């Protein structure tokens, strides 16, 4: 069973790679490229559609029966390596080289203000539990891999297991300070941060009053 699942996973990754390379392909084209039966390819495509990674983007009308064309969704882009973190690090370093630490702090403050404007309406007029849930979901969409839970004492723990800007945070702790300030502004309360990834922890954990 494990071998079968491994093979299915490899085939589906191959399908995603082909669609990434060619943009749009039919089941027959994928079948020919991977030397797998069309019935099997369609089963994989159905599974990928259910996972939100592939969608039908059109029809190709040739002689005979029209063929559906498949393409990648935005969600599928996460399967392909990107070097945004390295680019961000290089940009921040360039800003520091030109304007010093003050310039870095200024652009991070501007980022905080932009995020506040974007996120505040999602939390407005909601009870604390709904606010924290909304914030957790918004951060997860940004790649923070986070979760929240309420302790027996009534306060909330917001835990982030991934930092999208880890390399920046390790070099410029201002980004951690700005994020803590952002959460305090959004939730209108003081927040205690127990640990950070940039500081050597396995996660960033925020303790929020109930």
């Amino acid at each position: 069973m494990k071998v079968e699942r491994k093979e299915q996973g490899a085939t589906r990754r191959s399908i995603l790679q082909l669609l990434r390379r060619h943009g749009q392909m039919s089941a027959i084209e994928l079948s020919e490229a991977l030397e797998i039966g069309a019935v099997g390819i369609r089963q994989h495509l159905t599974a990928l559609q259910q996972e939100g990674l592939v969608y039908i983007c059109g029809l190709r009308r040739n002689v005979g029966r029209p063929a559906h064309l498949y393409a990648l969704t935005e969600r599928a882009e996460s399967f392909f390596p990107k070097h945004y973190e390295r680019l961000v690090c290089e940009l921040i370093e360039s800003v520091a080289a030109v304007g010093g630490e003050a310039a870095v702090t200024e652009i991070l403050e501007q980022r905080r203000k932009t995020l506040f404007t974007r996120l505040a309406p999602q939390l407005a007029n909601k009870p604390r539990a709904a606010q924290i849930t909304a914030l957790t979901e918004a951060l997860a969409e940004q790649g923070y891999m986070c979760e929240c839970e309420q302790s027996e004492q009534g306060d909330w723990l917001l835990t982030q297991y991934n930092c999208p800007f880890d390399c920046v945070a390790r070099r410029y702790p201002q980004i951690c300070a700005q994020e803590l300030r952002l959460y305090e502004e959004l939730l209108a309360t003081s927040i205690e941060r127990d640990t950070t990834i940039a500081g050597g922890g396995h996660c960033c954990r925020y303790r929020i009053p109930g």
Side-chain angles (χ1 to χ4, degrees):
M1 179 65 71
K2 289 184 179 179
V3 173
E4 182 180 350
R5 288 179 179 175
K6 185 176 181 180
E7 291 176 350
Q8 289 178 346
T11 299
R12 289 170 191 173
R13 283 194 298 273
S14 296
I15 290 173
L16 293 177
Q17 289 168 356
L18 283 168
L19 292 176
R20 187 70 179 86
R21 184 183 299 273
H22 298 286
Q24 302 175 357
M25 295 182 73
S26 68
I28 295 298
E29 290 170 334
L30 289 165
S31 172
E32 293 173 350
L34 296 175
E35 298 182 349
I36 297 175
V39 173
I41 287 292
R42 289 191 176 93
Q43 290 175 344
H44 287 301
L45 287 169
T46 297
L48 290 169
Q49 282 182 279
Q50 292 172 346
E51 294 175 22
L53 303 176
V54 165
Y55 74 106
I56 297 173
C57 62
L59 272 178
R60 178 174 293 155
R61 298 185 180 278
N62 295 324
V63 177
R65 187 176 179 180
H68 287 297
L69 292 174
Y70 295 86
L72 298 179
T73 64
E74 290 185 9
R75 182 178 178 184
E77 292 297 328
S78 63
F79 283 80
F80 300 95
K82 295 177 172 63
H83 300 288
Y84 296 147
E85 186 181 18
R86 183 187 304 169
L87 174 61
V88 171
C89 286
E90 292 173 351
L91 289 173
I92 294 291
E93 288 170 358
S94 297
V95 169
V98 174
E101 297 290 323
V104 173
T105 299
E106 184 178 348
I107 64 169
L108 292 177
E109 286 180 346
Q110 184 57 50
R111 173 181 179 269
R112 186 196 80 243
K113 294 174 183 177
T114 299
L115 287 173
F116 179 85
T117 300
R118 183 189 308 163
L119 297 176
Q122 300 178 34
L123 278 65
N125 303 317
K126 291 182 178 179
R128 174 69 79 218
Q131 285 184 324
I132 295 174
T133 298
L135 178 58
T136 302
E137 292 174 350
L139 293 173
E141 290 177 357
Q142 295 177 31
Y144 281 88
M145 190 180 171
C146 57
E147 63 184 22
C148 63
E149 60 179 344
Q150 191 169 23
S151 70
E152 294 180 356
Q153 291 73 32
D155 57 354
W156 289 86
L157 293 177
L158 174 63
T159 306
Q160 300 169 344
Y161 295 102
N162 180 59
C163 175
F165 309 106
D166 187 21
C167 78
V168 182
R170 292 179 188 276
R171 172 65 180 83
Y172 300 99
Q174 298 101 311
I175 194 168
C176 296
Q178 291 296 327
E179 292 205 339
L180 175 59
R181 184 175 173 185
L182 171 65
Y183 304 159
E184 289 181 330
E185 289 178 346
L186 286 169
L187 297 171
T189 188
S190 296
I191 297 174
E192 179 183 351
R193 183 165 52 204
D194 296 338
T195 183
T196 65
I197 295 172
H202 77 285
C203 66
C204 296
R205 182 176 290 116
Y206 298 84
R207 193 175 300 275
I208 305 166

